[in-house]
Each structure stands twice: as C-alpha cells, then as structure tokens.
Amino acid sequence: MELSDAALLVTAGLAAGTVNAVAGGGSLITFPAMIAAGLPPVPANVSNSVAVFPGYVASVAGSRTDLPRGRALWALLPTTVVGTIVGCLLLLGTPARAFELVVPFLVLGATAVLAFQDPLRRLVGHPAELGPRRRTVTVQAMVAVGAVYGGYFGAALGVMLVAGLALVLDATLARVSAVKNLLSATVGLTTLVVFALFGPVNWAAVAVVAPATLVGGYVGARLVRRLPPVVLKTLIVAFGTTIGLYLLWRAMR
C-alpha cells in the first residue's frame, strides 16, 4: 500500500468514526476511500464493514451513560444478530444491482421519518400510548429491518436506526442515539465474523482504517452528549438527505 493511500484511509477512518457516532453514514466516506486506494467494489464493501466496527465500539463507550437500563434493550440484540446475518448472506449470494436501486429510497425515507417525527407520531400514536406488546413488536420489527440493511450495505445505518427508534421509543434523542450505537456495534461485530469467515476482506486496508474509526467514534459520541436535541436532529436529517441523494445519483449513473 502506498503512503498516500494509507494517509487517505486514516483520514477517512477518523471522519467516518465521528460521523457514525453523530448521525451515521460514515461508510460513505471510507467505502469510496477504499475504492480510491485500489480495492474492487465488493472487497471494498466487505473490508469497509469490518473496518468500521471498532468505531461503533468506541461510540458505545462514549455514550454508555445514556443507555437505558433493563432487559428490553438486551432483548433487541438477538434480533439484530439474525437480521445482520440475513443481510450478509444477501450481499454474498445475490446480485447487488436491484438492492442498490432500493437503498437510496430507504435512506431518504428514513430521513423523512425522522424529519417529520412529530406529525407521524400524531398519526400512528405516541410510544407512551402504545400497549407493551405492540410497542415490543414494533421496536423489534424496526430493529430487524435495520439489521438486514446493515448486514447488506451498512451506509446510513445510523440514520435508519435513529429514525425508526425515535418514532417508537419514548426517549430523548441522545438516548435513542446511544441505543443506535449499541445496535450498530452488534451489526458490526456480526458482519466482522461473517465476512472474516466467508468474505474477501483486505486486511491491510482494515488495519489502517480500523484504529482511526476507533478514535473518531469516541470523539463523536462525546460530541452527541453536548449537542441540543434540535441541533442533533438537524445534523442527522442533513446527513441522511445528503447520503440518500448521493446514493440515488450513484445508482442512476
């Protein structure tokens, strides 16, 4: 690997770790950087999924005080693992083109859900008004869909999780973001195991990017705790819209 390529990947990793902790979408920084460093698209996507995992772990460490207590949170992890495995198998076993055309609309749709969260809550009901069983099923369904997406592609996973969870959880956006970090880390660990065993991982690229995402993830998580809710929401919506439009442009080329 050339020194210039390594410098590019380190910079991309720092930025991606920070962005993932704040809003999600950091993979759209590291994935093109790996392409620019000479990796083919599929190995770049697989290697990127493995490399961003340490950043998710750092985000969990940085936001751990905002995580809710109780069994309900941990009950989401098996769903996350199963959904991620399904997404990984889709990536490794099916043509990517059809899903690439759907992904931008998923990202833009998730961003719209977050942007119009209050009107949508008036339509579907506030989380506090839902019965315990309906709330549990709804949250599990949101997490399952996000995990499948995260296993397949992963970019803007944070945006999708925050949008879905904010709609069905009666919690502050900082707490929702902390839950998002834990679920993203679970997705990252699952993809790491699956792709390490079955995927074409470029371990040299991973070794350069992963430590940088670790630093960026911790910094980003600490930043989230200092941001007012309206600023955090605006940042996530802005990131999501930009990412969705970029993916749509790339898919339509």
Side-chain angles (χ1 to χ4, degrees), residues 75-88 143-144 147-148 151 183 185-191 193-194:
L76 298 175
L77 300 188
T79 302
T80 306
V81 171
V82 172
T84 304
I85 291 173
V86 171
C88 291
V143 170
V148 171
L183 298 181
T186 305
V187 170
L189 177 60
T190 307
T191 57
V193 172
V194 174

Side-chain angles (χ1 to χ4, degrees), residues 41-224:
V42 172
N45 190 22
V46 170
S47 302
N48 176 69
S49 296
V50 174
V52 298
F53 168 65
Y56 289 138
V57 175
S59 298
V60 175
S63 60
R64 63 189 181 280
T65 56
D66 289 318
L67 283 171
R69 303 293 183 260
R71 297 179 180 178
L73 175 63
W74 303 108
L76 298 175
L77 300 188
T79 302
T80 306
V81 171
V82 172
T84 304
I85 291 173
V86 171
C88 291
L89 295 176
L90 284 173
L91 175 63
L92 296 176
T94 61
R97 179 58 181 166
F99 199 84
E100 286 178 357
L101 293 173
V102 175
V103 165
F105 297 101
L106 293 176
V107 175
L108 291 171
T111 304
V113 167
L114 183 60
F116 300 102
Q117 174 186 332
D118 293 333
L120 286 171
R121 275 185 168 177
R122 287 194 289 269
L123 288 176
V124 303
H126 193 277
E129 300 170 355
L130 300 177
R133 179 174 297 180
R134 183 181 174 189
R135 187 186 307 121
T136 298
V137 171
T138 304
V139 173
Q140 290 281 0
M142 289 286 188
V143 170
V145 171
V148 171
Y149 172 85
Y152 189 93
F153 187 60
L157 171 62
V159 175
M160 299 188 73
L161 287 176
V162 169
L165 294 173
L167 191 62
V168 298
L169 292 180
D170 187 17
T172 64
L173 200 55
R175 176 155 288 190
V176 169
S177 182
V179 175
K180 175 264 295 180
N181 289 338
L182 178 61
L183 298 181
S184 296
T186 305
V187 170
L189 177 60
T190 307
T191 57
L192 187 153
V193 172
V194 174
F195 291 150
L197 293 174
F198 305 109
V201 179
N202 185 302
W203 291 105
V206 170
V208 173
V209 174
T213 67
L214 188 66
V215 176
Y218 187 80
V219 171
R222 304 302 293 178
L223 177 62
V224 166

